[in-house]
Amino acid sequence: MRAGARIFSDGRSPKTLASLAADRRAARQMRRRHDRVLKRMARFMDGLVRFGLLPNDDGERLALSALDPYELRRKGLDEPLIASELGRALYHLAKRRGFKSSRKSKGEDENEAGKIATAIIKTREQIKTEGCRTMGEYLAKRHAQRETVRARTTADGKEYLLYTQRAMVAEEFDALWAAQSAHHPNICTEEARAFLRDTLLFQRPLLPVQPGRCIFEVEEFREPLWSPLQQQFRVLQELNNLRVIDGLEERALTLEERNTLRDALYRYVKGDGNYCYDIYRLDNGKWGGDVVDIYTANRPGFGLRSKEAYKSGKPLVMRLRQGDILKLEHDGRYKLMCVAQFSDGKIIMSEHNEANADARNRLRKEQARKVQDGDDVRVDESFQYLQKSPDGLRQLAARLVGVDVLGYVNDTGFKA
């Protein structure tokens, strides 16, 4: 044992204790994930029973498990199913709802995400090559040929044979529902579709990462890098480190020179680097908006103007920042949208559970460019940013909502 190594009275080293703590955290995360899956499936089952797609009796539901769900998913695209058969197919769809992109830490997780992305692309190509319309139809064909229908890696573990994407599940749900709603108009209602689809595809928002402790004030947490106060500190730190070289002499900036450069830097505003977007009510009842840059937000008195927009002086409806969650009514149902970025005249949003929106948007643009160049590339139309003006948000009954750690939405209602 090296000199100075710490050993506790029971013989365990600090490294052992840290490893045990990490194992406990991983076990808690697995239990939480398992509990969430059980709750989601129970909610989906209750919905199927409530809307008449599955029988209320446990024995009758158990008898339906003898049916081949893959065959039902294939058959439901062209032929009428009885209500319980459709419920069985949808329940099977909910049990294997596919991969949804999420933020990954660097290292092995990046390789795993790359393997999954490659497998999804290959799976879509295989579906197209086989002439299948949905993932379920493709799996039914493999199932009939006694081939694997689960995500399995090759013998060397370098790639997956096939992989289901959440977007594929959404596409199949819509296709099944559209095909069967003509045969069951009293059961396949819009209320049932909205409830089941939302339960099937729901993914809770990611929790914010807690910053570490400050090395100077150990009782306080560090400011996040996106914090205006942290950005101001970094600007001043870099300016204080600058030196003016005049011949062989070197000197620091004077206070006046430093402040001049500071003000010039604060006035430079990027479209995705602004502090907030003030949305206010105009005299005619419509909504207008102004972008507030970081320099303005850090000027004295900005925080005191909480009930009126900073630039216009009009009554403030809400103050939007990147990452805020908006609840709005879009395409006939309520949606939770996350503010991705904003600039003068428009607010750009993505689905609240889309953790990789920027990457998917870049990929979609790249695919569209390749199509214009004549390449045979499929453009992923399953993702697209939603862009709205301030008054466009009013027309969608938009309002700021809070989402707690359990995923519950705190909505105070729309205030026109």
Side-chain angles (χ1 to χ4, degrees), residues 170-191:
E171 293 165 4
E172 183 174 352
F173 178 89
D174 293 337
L176 269 176
W177 196 270
Q180 294 299 314
S181 58
H183 306 296
H184 305 284
N186 296 330
I187 295 178
C188 298
T189 61
E190 179 59 29
E191 179 187 2

Side-chain angles (χ1 to χ4, degrees), residues 36 205-209 403-406:
R36 289 167 181 168
L206 295 174
L207 294 177
V209 178
V403 181
D404 64 16
V405 295
L406 297 178

Side-chain angles (χ1 to χ4, degrees), residues 26-154:
R28 285 197 299 269
Q29 291 174 354
M30 290 180 64
R31 287 196 297 269
R32 282 197 297 266
R33 182 182 179 280
H34 182 66
D35 290 343
R36 289 167 181 168
V37 171
L38 293 179
K39 290 178 181 178
R40 174 173 57 82
M41 294 307 301
R43 186 168 184 259
F44 195 80
M45 173 69 78
D46 291 341
L48 292 174
V49 173
R50 176 158 56 93
F51 293 112
L53 288 166
L54 282 181
N56 193 33
D57 182 71
D58 292 341
E60 295 179 9
R61 288 203 303 270
L62 184 60
L64 292 172
S65 61
L67 299 175
D68 184 356
Y70 295 104
E71 180 60 23
L72 292 177
R73 288 165 62 176
R74 182 203 64 77
K75 181 181 175 183
L77 296 174
D78 301 307
E79 305 174 29
L81 302 175
I82 63 175
S84 58
E85 290 177 335
L86 176 59
R88 173 75 176 97
L90 293 178
Y91 186 77
H92 185 260
L93 197 65
K95 288 184 68 175
R96 297 166 179 82
R97 61 180 192 155
F99 171 76
K100 178 74 173 180
S101 62
S102 182
R103 288 189 177 94
K104 297 284 186 181
S105 59
K106 293 183 178 180
E108 294 182 359
D109 285 340
E110 285 188 348
N111 297 330
E112 188 69 13
K115 284 165 44 176
I116 292 175
T118 303
I120 288 174
I121 294 174
K122 288 184 177 179
T123 301
R124 284 193 174 274
E125 291 175 352
Q126 291 169 2
I127 293 174
K128 185 178 180 181
T129 302
E130 293 291 334
C132 299
R133 292 161 292 179
T134 64
M135 184 69 182
E137 189 176 17
Y138 174 67
L139 294 179
K141 193 171 184 178
R142 292 180 63 90
H143 189 59
Q145 297 171 355
R146 297 297 186 266
E147 297 179 354
T148 180
V149 292
R150 299 288 188 90
R152 295 285 188 269
T153 58
T154 55

Side-chain angles (χ1 to χ4, degrees), residues 115-404:
K115 284 165 44 176
I116 292 175
T118 303
I120 288 174
I121 294 174
K122 288 184 177 179
T123 301
R124 284 193 174 274
E125 291 175 352
Q126 291 169 2
I127 293 174
K128 185 178 180 181
T129 302
E130 293 291 334
C132 299
R133 292 161 292 179
T134 64
M135 184 69 182
E137 189 176 17
Y138 174 67
L139 294 179
K141 193 171 184 178
R142 292 180 63 90
H143 189 59
Q145 297 171 355
R146 297 297 186 266
E147 297 179 354
T148 180
V149 292
R150 299 288 188 90
R152 295 285 188 269
T153 58
T154 55
D156 56 9
K158 294 184 177 180
E159 60 179 354
Y160 287 98
L161 296 174
L162 62 87
Y163 217 98
T164 306
Q165 187 185 26
R166 188 78 52 83
M168 300 177 188
V169 175
E171 293 165 4
E172 183 174 352
F173 178 89
D174 293 337
L176 269 176
W177 196 270
Q180 294 299 314
S181 58
H183 306 296
H184 305 284
N186 296 330
I187 295 178
C188 298
T189 61
E190 179 59 29
E191 179 187 2
R193 188 198 71 84
F195 176 86
L196 295 175
R197 194 179 193 278
D198 181 71
T199 305
L200 170 66
L201 303 176
F202 176 78
Q203 183 166 313
R204 66 187 62 248
L206 295 174
L207 294 177
V209 178
Q210 182 70 46
R213 298 282 182 177
C214 177
I215 61 175
F216 302 110
E217 299 289 341
V218 294
E219 299 299 325
E220 301 290 338
F221 287 103
R222 293 196 299 265
E223 283 290 318
L225 291 180
W226 50 260
S227 166
L229 184 61
Q230 169 70 358
Q231 294 295 323
Q232 183 179 11
F233 168 78
R234 294 178 67 184
V235 168
L236 293 176
Q237 185 181 52
E238 292 298 326
L239 290 176
N240 289 337
N241 291 335
L242 288 179
R243 293 294 182 266
V244 177
I245 299 177
D246 185 8
L248 299 177
E249 295 184 357
E250 180 180 307
R251 65 174 179 85
L253 296 175
T254 65
L255 182 62
E256 181 180 357
E257 290 172 339
R258 190 204 71 172
N259 291 342
T260 300
L261 290 175
R262 178 202 63 189
D263 293 345
L265 289 173
Y266 282 172
R267 287 191 174 90
Y268 175 70
V269 179
K270 296 193 304 177
D272 60 350
N274 299 315
Y275 176 70
C276 68
Y277 197 101
D278 276 351
I279 296 181
Y280 48 83
R281 187 177 294 104
L282 300 172
D283 295 336
N284 58 5
K286 295 184 178 181
W287 288 0
D290 289 320
V291 174
V292 179
D293 56 67
I294 294 178
Y295 174 79
T296 303
N298 283 275
R299 303 297 293 172
F302 173 77
L304 302 178
R305 297 174 177 264
S306 58
K307 295 184 179 180
E308 61 181 22
Y310 187 84
K311 294 181 180 179
S312 65
K314 302 288 185 181
L316 185 65
V317 176
M318 53 185 161
R319 176 166 283 163
L320 297 179
R321 298 175 177 86
Q322 284 182 313
D324 281 347
I325 302 295
L326 285 172
K327 183 176 181 181
L328 47 85
E329 187 173 353
H330 183 64
D331 292 339
R333 65 188 186 96
Y334 284 107
K335 282 190 176 182
L336 294 180
M337 306 296 291
C338 179
V339 178
Q341 51 186 284
F342 42 76
S343 58
D344 287 330
K346 62 181 179 180
I347 300 96
I348 303 173
M349 300 163 286
S350 64
E351 293 274 3
H352 74 286
N353 53 6
E354 179 57 68
N356 205 19
D358 288 341
R360 292 193 66 188
N361 188 53
R362 290 194 299 269
L363 176 61
R364 184 172 175 272
K365 288 182 178 179
E366 179 66 18
Q367 291 170 341
R369 184 189 64 77
K370 290 182 178 179
V371 170
Q372 291 180 351
D373 293 342
D375 296 341
D376 185 15
V377 178
R378 179 182 177 277
V379 179
D380 181 12
E381 298 292 349
S382 61
F383 172 80
Q384 191 171 5
Y385 275 125
L386 178 65
Q387 300 185 22
K388 290 294 177 183
S389 66
D391 199 58
L393 292 181
R394 179 187 64 82
Q395 296 171 13
L396 296 177
R399 62 268 200 180
L400 269 172
V401 297
V403 181
D404 64 16

